[in-house]
């Protein structure tokens, strides 16, 4: 038996955008971190500053295959998250969500580790309930181009709750809403990264549809704080719990804000709206407030300049 109070924490998808920030924070808290990633959308660059630290280990591994290590806690983040990345190989996306969940739940069962699933607001699909509460079951097209991600994540939630009921596993399910910040992939096609890159290049800003659909954007540091609070919450609190920033914006308003903050000469270019694009999205975070004492502290107007600075630096280093 290990006598140290230091926990061995596995972060799958740890070389990705959210995962790399999470690894950093867990190390700061004094834990031992094992970062597992197959580098599909994540990069070693995201965690290069952590390599060589005595309590950090980077392991190339695909979660669709079983993993035999000893751990106390698992954050299961492995999954491409942006529509162009998860639609690139949709079968693999479903496998990553479903087989990945089964493998990581199996690991948790063997080691009796506590396990957290990075689920998503996409389980609500194109929602009829606004803002979205955890008790809402969602409106998802099961056969559309977003289904590999949405249904994969829904099935992963099912598996988490069945392992909890059947094998008494300690589970935590976070439904993450749109999150942004440094280390987003510059070419992932997500709206914040796309608009900032287009604005910095002076290229047209591609607004899908009329840009009247809404999203609510959470800064990465706030989100990571929420994930850690959820993992540390009492054993009988499983979630699902929404984690996101309730401040809601139209996509057009986001474009205008980014143009203003970058001082860009870019103009707005209206493009066709992708199939099944949700029209509105805003988290109800009443549960996160009461159960975790959590709420986001960073407004979009504060978080965007930090993100813009990151992408400017990438461009000046020739990395974007
Ligand atoms: P990301 O693409 O930057 O990170 C995902 C990571 O998982 C990458 O490093 C990728 O290489 C890795 N990965 C993918 N398939 C894998 C596999 N089979 N085996 C091992 N590693 C694999 O995306 P992100 O934004 O950091 O998202 C992290 C998690 O949070 C995802 O599960 C995503 O669904 C969830 N999430 C993110 C958001 C958001 O706005 N960023 C919103 C909702 C949910
Ligand atoms: N979007 C857009 N232009 C872009 C990229 C995205 O208008 O260049 C829109 C997209 O149609 C969606 C919203 O921005 O309505 C958020 O898209 P993203 O891919 O970031 O996330 P998700 O749709 O998964 O919330």
């Amino acid at each position: 038996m290990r006598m140290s109070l230091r926990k061995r924490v596995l972060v799958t998808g740890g070389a990705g955008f959210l995962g790399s920030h999470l690894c950093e924070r867990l190390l700061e808290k004094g834990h031992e971190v094992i970062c597992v990633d197959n580098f599909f959308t994540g990069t070693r660059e995201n965690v290069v500053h952590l390599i060589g630290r005595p309590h950090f280990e980077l392991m190339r591994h695909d979660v669709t295959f079983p993993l035999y290590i000893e751990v106390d806690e698992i954050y299961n983040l492995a999954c491409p998250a942006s529509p162009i990345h998860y639609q690139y190989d949709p079968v693999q996306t479903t496998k990553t969500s479903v087989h990945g969940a089964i493998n990581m739940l199996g690991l948790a069962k063997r080691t009796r580790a506590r396990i957290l699933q990075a689920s998503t607001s996409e389980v609500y699909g194109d929602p009829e309930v606004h803002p979205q509460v955890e008790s809402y079951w969602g409106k998802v097209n099961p056969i559309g181009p977003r289904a590999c991600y949405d249904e994969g994540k829904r099935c992963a939630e099912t598996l988490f709750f069945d392992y909890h009921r059947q094998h008494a596993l300690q589970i935590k399910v976070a439904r993450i809403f749109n999150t942004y910040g440094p280390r987003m992939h510059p070419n992932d096609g997500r709206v914040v990264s796309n608009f900032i890159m287009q604005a910095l290049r002076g290229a047209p800003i591609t607004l899908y549809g009329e840009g009247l659909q809404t999203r609510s954007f959470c800064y990465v540091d706030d989100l990571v704080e929420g994930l850690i609070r959820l993992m540390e919450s009492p054993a009988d609190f499983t979630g699902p719990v929404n984690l996101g920033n309730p401040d809601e914006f139209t996509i057009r308003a986001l474009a205008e804000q980014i143009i203003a903050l970058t001082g860009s000469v870019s103009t707005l270019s209206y493009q066709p709206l992708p199939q099944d694009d949700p029209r509105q999205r805003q988290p109800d975070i009443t549960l996160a407030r009461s159960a975790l004492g959590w709420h986001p502290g960073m407004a979009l107007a504060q978080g965007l300049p930090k993100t813009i600075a990151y992408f400017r630096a990438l461009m000046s280093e020739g990395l974007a």
Side-chain angles (χ1 to χ4, degrees):
M1 184 199 289
R2 293 181 323 102
M3 299 306 289
S4 155
L5 288 179
R6 187 191 300 282
K7 287 194 182 117
R8 296 196 83 201
V9 185
L10 167 63
V11 180
T12 76
F17 161 50
L18 296 182
S20 61
H21 287 273
L22 178 61
C23 288
E24 222 168 71
R25 287 282 286 281
L26 290 168
L27 285 170
E28 277 165 23
K29 286 177 74 74
H31 297 307
E32 195 174 325
V33 174
I34 303 167
C35 168
V36 158
D37 208 294
N38 70 349
F39 303 117
F40 176 50
T41 52
T43 61
R44 288 170 69 85
E45 281 304 311
N46 283 341
V47 288
V48 76
H49 58 297
L50 306 178
I51 295 172
R53 290 212 198 166
H55 300 297
F56 181 75
E57 193 180 333
L58 177 61
M59 190 188 287
R60 180 191 287 265
H61 176 79
D62 185 321
V63 295
T64 60
F65 297 97
L67 178 64
Y68 292 92
I69 55 174
E70 303 308 312
V71 288
D72 302 309
E73 286 180 351
I74 303 168
Y75 288 85
N76 188 36
L77 272 62
C79 187
S82 81
I84 58 164
H85 284 155
Y86 70 65
Q87 289 169 14
Y88 172 77
D89 186 348
V91 172
Q92 185 60 25
T93 299
T94 304
K95 279 189 189 170
T96 293
S97 274
V98 177
H99 293 186
I102 291 171
N103 288 327
M104 292 309 110
L105 286 160
L107 173 62
K109 186 179 157 206
R110 182 177 61 76
T111 57
R112 300 316 293 174
R114 190 175 265 211
I115 180 165
L116 181 148
Q117 168 67 355
S119 190
T120 169
S121 53
E122 298 286 341
V123 301
Y124 301 123
D126 189 8
E128 299 138 309
V129 169
H130 194 75
Q132 290 78 58
V133 281
E134 290 86 351
S135 54
Y136 174 53
W137 290 351
K139 181 175 164 244
V140 172
N141 174 358
I143 57 170
R146 296 175 81 103
C148 58
Y149 183 74
D150 302 5
E151 297 289 15
K153 290 284 189 180
R154 286 168 68 95
C155 184
E157 287 200 10
T158 307
L159 285 161
F160 267 67
F161 277 84
D162 282 335
Y163 269 76
H164 173 62
R165 285 183 288 254
Q166 200 172 330
H167 299 298
L169 235 62
Q170 282 193 40
I171 62 154
K172 309 280 176 186
V173 175
R175 290 187 178 153
I176 303 170
F177 283 64
N178 297 64
T179 302
Y180 71 100
R183 296 198 207 120
M184 287 185 92
H185 198 297
N187 302 320
D188 69 4
R190 283 191 262 197
V191 68
V192 173
S193 41
N194 244 20
F195 285 4
I196 294 177
M197 291 301 298
Q198 289 164 345
L200 292 177
R201 289 179 175 139
I205 306 277
T206 52
L207 272 183
Y208 301 157
E210 291 175 37
L212 297 179
Q213 68 273 38
T214 68
R215 293 292 185 275
S216 309
F217 300 99
C218 186
Y219 190 67
V220 61
D221 290 354
D222 284 330
L223 196 278
V224 166
E225 173 67 22
L227 291 178
I228 292 175
R229 284 193 188 211
L230 175 58
M231 182 62 101
E232 292 176 352
S233 63
D236 62 353
F237 183 72
T238 57
V241 59
N242 291 338
L243 293 179
N245 190 323
D247 293 345
E248 185 182 4
F249 298 86
T250 64
I251 296 303
R252 194 192 290 171
L254 174 74
E256 284 160 357
Q257 201 169 340
I258 288 174
I259 290 174
L261 286 168
T262 50
S264 175
V265 295
S266 292
T267 51
L268 300 182
S269 160
Y270 290 88
Q271 308 282 330
L273 189 67
Q275 189 190 329
D276 296 337
D277 200 274
R279 282 159 299 169
Q280 51 182 6
R281 189 181 291 151
Q282 183 194 32
D284 181 320
I285 60 163
T286 309
L287 181 60
R289 282 182 190 275
S290 63
L292 309 177
W294 176 87
H295 64 90
M298 183 82 76
L300 189 61
Q302 297 171 291
L304 279 179
K306 294 173 189 287
T307 314
I308 291 167
Y310 170 77
F311 283 114
R312 264 195 218 282
L314 271 192
M315 279 177 76
S316 67
E317 290 163 28
L319 297 171

